[in-house]
Amino acid sequence: KAGVTQTPRYLIKTRGQQVTLSCSPISGHRSVSWYQQTPGQGLQFLFEYFSETQRNKGNFPGRFSGRQFSNSRSEMNVSTLELGDSALYLCASSRGALSTNEKLFFGSGTQLSVL
Amino acid sequence: QKEVEQNSGPLSVPEGAIASLNCTYSDRGSQSFFWYRQYSGKSPELIMSIYSNGDKEDGRFTAQLNKASQYVSLLIRDSQPSDSATYLCAGNAGNNRKLIWGLGTSLAVNP
């Protein structure tokens, strides 16, 4: 069974540009959640999509957005990039919506560098 | 601000010893806790989950939960160099709609 697939693996952008990251969940998983990971802040929750609907959102500015397609694949978009957006962006899939017992399976991540 | 706190380490133990990793949380509504292991340059992978007070054992790993004291711990018995990684503790937020993550504890197991 294929795992969670994230593309691209690495990305270099300049300030002011926008970027789109892609995540394909494990087959049969309907929830995709996105995280930003930096050495100083750790893993921070961005948002979760379940059945094409944003179910919850973390404390990030509106420049960070996402969507989910009918096949459960998800994309995350960051507009007007800032230097502080440089981070590892991870997506995770789970069979059901994030809840008490749901276990997450992570992709390999996209390492974004903003110059 | 709901928080999950961990000592950043590094925690260094000799091969074969017991490694003890600790985590405290502030949200009394949290019901479920997870330990993820993250090797350098890799993504997190689930090691253990625990939902009830007490101990839960899985091979060399034991998770402990004490809701009254609001702490979670992970014990690794017979530590191996391959256990060297960062261990992330996460608890579900009281509304069950997301996980709150600690910053992780770096573990080094020395041969």
Side-chain angles (χ1 to χ4, degrees):
Chain A
K1 199 175 194 180
V4 179
T5 304
Q6 285 189 251
T7 56
R9 185 72 179 89
Y10 301 95
L11 209 49
I12 298 175
K13 292 287 187 179
T14 56
R15 279 181 299 173
Q17 288 187 307
Q18 75 163 21
V19 66
T20 299
L21 312 181
S22 179
C23 175
S24 293
I26 291 172
S27 177
H29 284 196
R30 295 168 62 195
S31 169
V32 174
S33 50
W34 289 89
Y35 302 84
Q36 181 194 67
Q37 188 174 35
T38 58
Q41 298 294 319
L43 207 63
Q44 293 189 289
F45 173 79
L46 281 156
F47 28 66
E48 180 206 3
Y49 286 88
F50 180 77
S51 294
E52 301 179 64
T53 301
Q54 187 181 86
R55 190 168 172 268
N56 198 10
K57 186 172 171 22
N59 297 323
F60 279 82
R63 301 185 295 107
F64 292 82
S65 63
R67 58 178 175 169
Q68 186 179 35
F69 303 95
S70 59
N71 62 357
S72 294
R73 189 178 71 85
S74 177
E75 286 182 347
M76 190 190 93
N77 185 274
V78 187
S79 63
T80 319
L81 284 166
E82 300 178 359
L83 294 178
D85 297 333
S86 295
L88 178 66
Y89 290 88
L90 292 161
C91 80
S93 76
S94 55
R95 187 170 299 279
L98 287 183
S99 63
T100 303
N101 301 332
E102 211 59 51
K103 299 177 178 63
L104 300 177
F105 296 85
F106 284 87
S108 299
T110 294
Q111 184 67 54
L112 172 65
S113 297
V114 182
L115 307 178
Chain B
Q1 176 84 3
K2 310 296 185 185
E3 291 184 345
V4 171
E5 296 189 356
Q6 301 179 250
N7 287 326
S8 61
L11 174 65
S12 183
V13 300
E15 183 175 356
I18 296 176
S20 178
L21 306 164
N22 300 308
C23 167
T24 59
Y25 61 95
S26 63
D27 185 357
R28 283 198 171 274
S30 295
Q31 298 293 317
S32 306
F33 300 88
F34 304 86
W35 284 99
Y36 284 79
R37 177 178 63 199
Q38 186 173 25
Y39 291 114
S40 180
K42 302 293 185 182
S43 56
E45 57 179 334
L46 181 67
I47 296 296
M48 294 280 290
S49 59
I50 186 165
Y51 314 122
S52 306
N53 272 330
D55 296 359
K56 179 182 177 183
E57 188 174 316
D58 184 2
R60 296 186 296 111
F61 299 94
T62 299
Q64 300 174 319
L65 173 58
N66 184 320
K67 291 186 179 180
S69 300
Q70 294 179 242
Y71 81 78
V72 193
S73 62
L74 179 70
L75 301 178
I76 307 175
R77 290 182 300 281
D78 188 24
S79 295
Q80 300 296 310
S82 59
D83 294 326
S84 298
T86 295
Y87 289 80
L88 303 170
C89 171
N92 72 303
N95 64 6
N96 287 334
R97 284 178 172 255
K98 64 179 181 180
L99 292 177
I100 308 296
W101 296 81
L103 294 182
T105 297
S106 174
L107 172 66
V109 180
N110 305 307

